[in-house]
Amino acid sequence: MGTHIAVLSNPFAGKGRGARAAALAIARLRHEGLQVRSYAGSSAAQTAELAVQALREEPTALVVVGGDGTLAGILTAVTGQSVPLVLVAAGTGNDLARALHLPRHDPGEAAALALHGRPRVVDVGEVHSELGARLFLTVAALGFDAKVSDRTNRLRWPRGVLRYYLALVIELLRLQPVAFQVSVDGETLHDAPGTLIAVGNTQSYGGGMPVCAGAAADDGMLDLVHVRPLSRLRLIRLFPLLLQGRHLSRPEVTHRRARHVTVSAPDLVVYADGERVAAGSCTIGVRAGALTVMVPTEGDRS
């Protein structure tokens, strides 16, 4: 193991916030007297290559500056490594940082966990489909919410958050039950039509929406939330409860814990950590204790 800290950044994360966050993180680490080697990727592929390079040089910790999608893109390289990960949240959602109580508004404090934090071993989710195997850390979304994300990515106008709202309205107008077929932990595949399914390693997606309220990142399990077919009006009425994490007690919502979930549907789209990871059919599992992340010590949570 070396004596330096590696800082891997996505300068384009969070609509450009990544570059500023990386500069603040590096400045704090150097102020702490640490040797820093910096790597900045201009694309997801290059960032993944740089993660491999950074780990090959055996740092004492790997600081990753970016959002949930940035981290998801390098999970194949960092999962199972002995080098602890330090996340400096600089994305738009930052749901993993929420789950682990990491500083989300002070890049310097987040980076300093490399020196002052404690290691926490967390689980990693995995999605297997015809698109291959993809790893994730927060929530895999299937159904209505995944279609909204997909529509958002395909729209070219308007810009910013308005594009998401337009996608939401379009998909709400097109709302139809999804003909899910589901198997949990080896059960027989059975019909389970619904509005959406969420499979969570942590509890929230979309910048703090606790769809899998109560999910823990280190319990070796996934939380499966299924919302049965709803009309547009009933879905709109459920939404405020979902924002507060109070939806799991509703009769139209079922919640269970699992190790493996297989889901298929004719028009299935799957998003995880904000990225499209599967379509048509997939099996979602969990790699227990596959990643070590530095987190605040008890009583020092931000």
Side-chain angles (χ1 to χ4, degrees), residues 152-215:
T152 302
N153 289 343
R154 288 187 284 122
L155 289 173
R156 294 293 174 262
W157 179 91
R159 293 185 176 183
V161 70
L162 291 178
R163 185 168 59 179
Y164 174 82
Y165 290 140
L166 177 59
L168 184 65
V169 170
I170 291 172
E171 291 304 323
L172 193 60
L173 292 174
R174 294 166 57 92
L175 181 66
Q176 295 289 335
V178 180
F180 293 121
Q181 288 189 307
V182 178
S183 170
V184 178
D185 290 338
E187 296 174 350
T188 302
L189 198 68
H190 62 277
D191 293 335
T195 300
L196 65 86
I197 288 176
V199 182
N201 182 47
T202 60
Q203 69 174 1
S204 73
Y205 60 9
M209 189 181 302
V211 64
C212 295

Side-chain angles (χ1 to χ4, degrees), residues 9-281:
S9 64
N10 173 5
F12 309 103
K15 300 176 182 177
R17 289 193 297 273
R20 179 175 180 274
L24 293 171
I26 291 170
R28 174 62 182 271
L29 292 170
R30 288 178 173 157
H31 178 75
E32 295 276 359
L34 300 171
Q35 180 185 352
V36 177
R37 296 183 189 176
S38 178
Y39 311 80
S42 60
S43 67
Q46 185 184 45
T47 301
E49 292 172 359
L50 289 173
V52 173
Q53 178 184 335
L55 290 170
R56 190 182 300 125
E57 296 173 2
E58 299 185 326
T60 55
L62 175 63
V63 178
V64 179
V65 184
D68 295 328
T70 301
L71 186 51
I74 66 168
L75 276 178
T76 299
V78 302
T79 297
Q81 295 286 336
S82 59
V83 177
L85 195 77
V86 180
L87 177 60
V88 176
T92 53
N94 299 321
D95 286 287
L96 182 64
R98 283 182 172 82
L100 301 182
H101 306 287
L102 305 179
R104 290 184 286 116
H105 307 293
D106 189 333
E109 277 300 300
L113 292 174
L115 188 63
H116 304 299
R118 64 177 178 87
R120 180 177 174 184
V121 177
V122 301
D123 307 329
V124 175
E126 54 185 345
V127 181
H128 294 270
S129 75
E130 61 183 15
L131 300 182
R134 297 288 295 271
L135 303 180
F136 70 97
L137 284 163
T138 59
V139 178
L142 307 86
F144 177 77
D145 41 2
K147 289 181 178 180
V148 172
S149 295
D150 206 46
R151 176 74 61 177
T152 302
N153 289 343
R154 288 187 284 122
L155 289 173
R156 294 293 174 262
W157 179 91
R159 293 185 176 183
V161 70
L162 291 178
R163 185 168 59 179
Y164 174 82
Y165 290 140
L166 177 59
L168 184 65
V169 170
I170 291 172
E171 291 304 323
L172 193 60
L173 292 174
R174 294 166 57 92
L175 181 66
Q176 295 289 335
V178 180
F180 293 121
Q181 288 189 307
V182 178
S183 170
V184 178
D185 290 338
E187 296 174 350
T188 302
L189 198 68
H190 62 277
D191 293 335
T195 300
L196 65 86
I197 288 176
V199 182
N201 182 47
T202 60
Q203 69 174 1
S204 73
Y205 60 9
M209 189 181 302
V211 64
C212 295
D218 55 2
D219 60 359
M221 301 289 286
L222 298 167
D223 281 57
L224 170 63
V225 174
H226 175 274
V227 179
R228 69 174 177 80
L230 298 178
S231 66
R232 296 183 187 90
L233 181 58
R234 293 197 68 178
L235 180 57
I236 291 170
R237 287 176 175 173
L238 181 67
F239 197 71
L241 296 177
L242 195 158
L243 290 174
Q244 301 171 54
R246 296 169 49 207
H247 58 295
L248 298 184
S249 61
R250 296 292 303 168
E252 60 266 38
V253 179
T254 58
H255 173 222
R256 61 186 296 189
R257 305 175 78 230
R259 295 188 185 278
H260 295 91
V261 180
T262 297
V263 183
S264 65
D267 55 350
L268 185 71
V269 177
V270 185
Y271 271 72
D273 292 341
E275 305 292 328
R276 181 171 176 151
V277 297
S281 177

